[in-house]
Amino acid sequence: MLTWDIPGLVLPGRWLAVAGEVPVILMAVFLCFMPDSPRFLISKGKEDEALNALKWLRGEDVDYWWEYERIKESVQEQSEPMSWAEIKKPYIRKPIAITLLMRFLQQLSGVTPILVYLEVIFGQTAVILPPKYDTVIVGAVRLVSVLVAAFSVDKVGRRLLLCISAIVMFFSNLTLGLYIYFVPLSHNSSTVMVNGSHEVLSSHLANGITVIPLIATMFFIIGYAMGWGPITWLLMAEVLPLKTRGVVSGLCVLASWLTAFAMTKAFLLVKYGLEAPFFFFSVICVVNLIFAYLIPETRGRSLERIESYFRTGRKSFLESFRGRR
């Protein structure tokens, strides 16, 4: 991952792999202290423990009894096998379509090939710094952006962050595409295309222009990390019906990485210039923006209320939510 590029500048590959084990060990230790979820406890018949866990999670002033009953109902429903006829029902079909399309669009925005070929892109666009240092800067920006998204997703909302994310990625990809098309710089020359011919730039101006790919890539990573990166995984867990969550989650991950593989293999095979993929990514980001605007907001809703939305529609979903508050 790019967040490990900073120690990668000073550590050999073997010790970098050892350093990567540190967060894994910490995660394993913290998981030992993680309490069981109310849903899991109910599925094991430990209803008193489940009620106490839900009470501890939600607090004394929340109507946890209503949520407890809904969880019991959903656990009982989930224990029944799902038939193919049920998949055709809107409350199951629509969430599945949303999650699959969301994972597909995430990868089509270009994040995987951009991260994989980051040094290649910076090398061909003659960024002012050496490519290895540029990737470190982008990795640090990505880490900070994920932290910002983690603290703001429950305050701002999923849909708004997805829309902002798509807009930022659109302008970043468009900037990279236009830069590569109009400023075909190399390490040995500083030229810009003007009326179909190449004009020589001054050294000072060329140095200023070559920072554009780095800035555009940084903003792309910021946009992706604050929305279409983490929130798509979160929404996948929230909108899928409980009965289908296990199987469909696996299908979503499969679709995501198959698309990522195809995009990565095709990125450098494009014969219309390096700018063509970025123009394509820009178009996809517009589609992402429209898609994000149309999906329901899930902030502050329990899994049961989200499933109720797809069963009964937005009006009854919101009325139920307001009534229980």
Side-chain angles (χ1 to χ4, degrees), residues 100-120:
L100 284 172
L101 185 58
M102 186 167 53
R103 303 301 305 162
F104 188 61
L105 289 174
Q106 182 206 48
Q107 291 298 332
L108 286 181
S109 67
V111 59
T112 301
I114 288 176
L115 293 179
V116 170
Y117 296 116
L118 200 55
E119 287 198 25
V120 175

Side-chain angles (χ1 to χ4, degrees), residues 94-104 232 235-237 239-240 248 252 291:
K94 289 181 180 179
I96 292 177
I98 288 174
T99 51
L100 284 172
L101 185 58
M102 186 167 53
R103 303 301 305 162
F104 188 61
T232 52
L235 281 177
M236 184 175 69
V239 304
L240 284 175
V248 178
C252 288
F291 177 85

Side-chain angles (χ1 to χ4, degrees), residues 197-308:
S197 62
H198 293 83
E199 301 291 339
V200 179
L201 297 175
S202 66
S203 176
H204 179 74
L205 180 59
N207 287 339
I209 289 178
T210 55
V211 78
I212 293 177
L214 176 59
I215 295 175
T217 306
M218 288 172 59
F219 273 98
F220 175 83
I221 297 300
I222 290 172
Y224 175 81
M226 69 183 294
W228 277 88
I231 295 180
T232 52
W233 293 98
L234 176 62
L235 281 177
M236 184 175 69
E238 289 182 336
V239 304
L240 284 175
L242 297 174
K243 292 181 67 172
T244 65
R245 188 162 297 153
V247 175
V248 178
S249 295
L251 289 176
C252 288
V253 173
L254 177 63
S256 176
W257 290 115
L258 284 177
T259 308
F261 173 78
M263 295 292 293
T264 303
K265 295 294 289 184
F267 183 76
L268 294 181
L269 299 178
V270 177
K271 299 182 180 179
Y272 300 101
L274 190 60
E275 68 274 9
F278 291 103
F279 290 143
F280 172 77
F281 299 154
S282 301
V283 174
I284 295 299
C285 288
V286 175
V287 179
N288 289 359
L289 176 61
I290 298 172
F291 177 85
Y293 179 78
L294 295 176
I295 62 174
E297 175 60 68
T298 60
R299 177 173 62 99
R301 275 69 166 172
S302 66
L303 298 179
E304 287 69 35
R305 285 195 175 107
I306 294 172
E307 186 169 334
S308 175

Side-chain angles (χ1 to χ4, degrees), residues 26-38 40-41 53 56-57:
L26 291 175
M27 185 183 300
V29 172
F30 289 139
L31 282 174
C32 296
F33 302 96
M34 182 177 177
D36 292 324
S37 68
F40 171 78
L41 293 171
W56 179 80
L57 286 169

Side-chain angles (χ1 to χ4, degrees), residues 50-228:
L51 185 60
N52 291 332
L54 187 61
K55 183 178 178 181
W56 179 80
L57 286 169
R58 301 300 187 221
E60 297 283 348
D61 300 329
V62 178
D63 185 10
Y64 55 85
W65 270 106
W66 182 89
E67 186 175 356
Y68 174 74
E69 293 297 330
R70 301 291 79 73
I71 292 176
K72 284 183 64 176
E73 292 177 3
S74 65
V75 168
Q76 292 173 358
E77 181 181 354
Q78 190 178 10
S79 63
E80 301 174 359
M82 185 184 63
S83 64
W84 284 105
E86 287 184 289
I87 297 180
K88 299 179 181 179
K89 296 180 179 179
Y91 77 94
I92 292 181
R93 184 184 68 248
K94 289 181 180 179
I96 292 177
I98 288 174
T99 51
L100 284 172
L101 185 58
M102 186 167 53
R103 303 301 305 162
F104 188 61
L105 289 174
Q106 182 206 48
Q107 291 298 332
L108 286 181
S109 67
V111 59
T112 301
I114 288 176
L115 293 179
V116 170
Y117 296 116
L118 200 55
E119 287 198 25
V120 175
I121 295 170
F122 286 156
Q124 293 191 17
T125 53
V127 177
I128 192 170
L129 295 175
K132 65 178 181 179
Y133 294 109
D134 294 323
T135 56
V136 170
I137 295 174
V138 172
V141 168
R142 185 184 185 190
L143 177 61
V144 174
S145 301
V146 170
L147 293 175
V148 172
F151 287 104
S152 61
V153 65
D154 283 328
K155 297 179 180 179
V156 179
R158 283 80 160 133
R159 187 166 59 182
L160 179 58
L161 281 178
L162 285 174
C163 290
I164 295 174
S165 172
I167 293 172
V168 174
M169 290 194 298
F170 165 75
F171 283 108
S172 301
N173 279 319
L174 185 61
T175 301
L176 279 167
L178 293 174
Y179 175 88
I180 296 170
Y181 182 77
F182 287 107
V183 190
L185 295 174
S186 66
H187 289 290
N188 300 318
S189 64
S190 298
T191 61
V192 61
M193 183 176 294
V194 179
N195 296 326
S197 62
H198 293 83
E199 301 291 339
V200 179
L201 297 175
S202 66
S203 176
H204 179 74
L205 180 59
N207 287 339
I209 289 178
T210 55
V211 78
I212 293 177
L214 176 59
I215 295 175
T217 306
M218 288 172 59
F219 273 98
F220 175 83
I221 297 300
I222 290 172
Y224 175 81
M226 69 183 294
W228 277 88

